[in-house]
Amino acid sequence: MIPAAFDYHRADTLDEALKLLKKHGDDAKVLSGGMSLLPMLKLRLASFAHLVDIGRIPGLEYIKEEGGVLKIGGTTRQVALERSELVRTRYPILLDTVLLIADPLVRNRATVAGNVANGDPANDHPATMIALGATIVARGPKGERTIPVNQFYLGIYTTALAPDEILTEIRIPVPPARSGGAYLKVKRKVGDYAAAAAAVQVTLDKNGGFQRAGIALTNAGPTPLEATDAQRYLVGKMPEQTVIAEAARMAAAKGSPGADLRGSVEYKREVARVLVGRALRKAIERAGGQ
């Protein structure tokens, strides 16, 4: 199939892009990498009269630590995360995540922010960003605002971004010492969505117990799922096998996956439980707890 007709606008500045969005309202959609949007248009699952391309706006593609946070610019490609020595050495959960997204051809074009902003519960970065405690920076006609990522997802393909706003930056707190994370995913083949996936980021105290725990699931419901009960359960406890097993059980039990060709509800919950346990163990190991 081919998409319905649309007008293409290439914005050279952020202000120009915002003016185009304001002018065309609900008929306009931001285009960055296009790896999620264009297939939806081709399949006629979505239709917009105007596409506003922000992919060539200067100054929006970067990965840097600044002021105690890791900043990822709004047009930063997935492949940039994959190649970043900073990400590889200090944020292994991000490297885990990007290497499980589609294939190299897609990662060369797709953007991190696009994966986050799309609102697809099957996308991989949202769960990782929730586990990391990230903040979304949005720019609109009224200026800039920040949104905690665990308040960003409102429903399937629905986020807190207004139609006339653009996601310009993702901010991730620099993890303290004795921190580690992991992202694990089960999928049928390369490039497929997850049957289930789990993101875990932990910080251990000086005695080796859990000081902080971030746990989130991919494709476990209409939005990325933050396992708040499991997170609270872990804080203050030692990383013993019984504790890890109970946290994994609590996280998986909170999910509400749908049955499809990737598996039944029961299968997906069991896979999520196993993945949370494995991701916790890997995160603890990376934090220096083993």
Side-chain angles (χ1 to χ4, degrees), residues 205-221:
D205 60 30
K206 62 181 180 180
N207 298 316
F210 290 105
Q211 180 175 310
R212 177 196 179 273
I215 304 174
L217 301 178
T218 298
N219 231 0

Side-chain angles (χ1 to χ4, degrees), residues 35 78 97-108 110 115 124 185 187 189-193:
M35 295 297 96
Q78 302 280 3
T97 306
V98 73
L99 290 176
L100 290 172
I101 293 174
D103 54 53
L105 292 176
V106 170
R107 295 197 295 270
N108 282 338
N115 191 277
D124 294 287
K185 175 179 178 178
K187 54 185 178 178
K189 60 180 181 178
V190 172
D192 193 16
Y193 287 125

Side-chain angles (χ1 to χ4, degrees), residues 63 70 79-96 98-99 286:
I63 303 168
L70 175 71
V79 70
L81 283 188
E82 190 175 341
R83 295 173 178 172
S84 168
E85 187 62 24
L86 175 63
V87 168
R88 183 177 299 275
T89 56
R90 290 174 57 80
Y91 303 87
I93 186 175
L94 287 175
L95 184 61
D96 289 348
V98 73
L99 290 176
R286 285 174 168 173

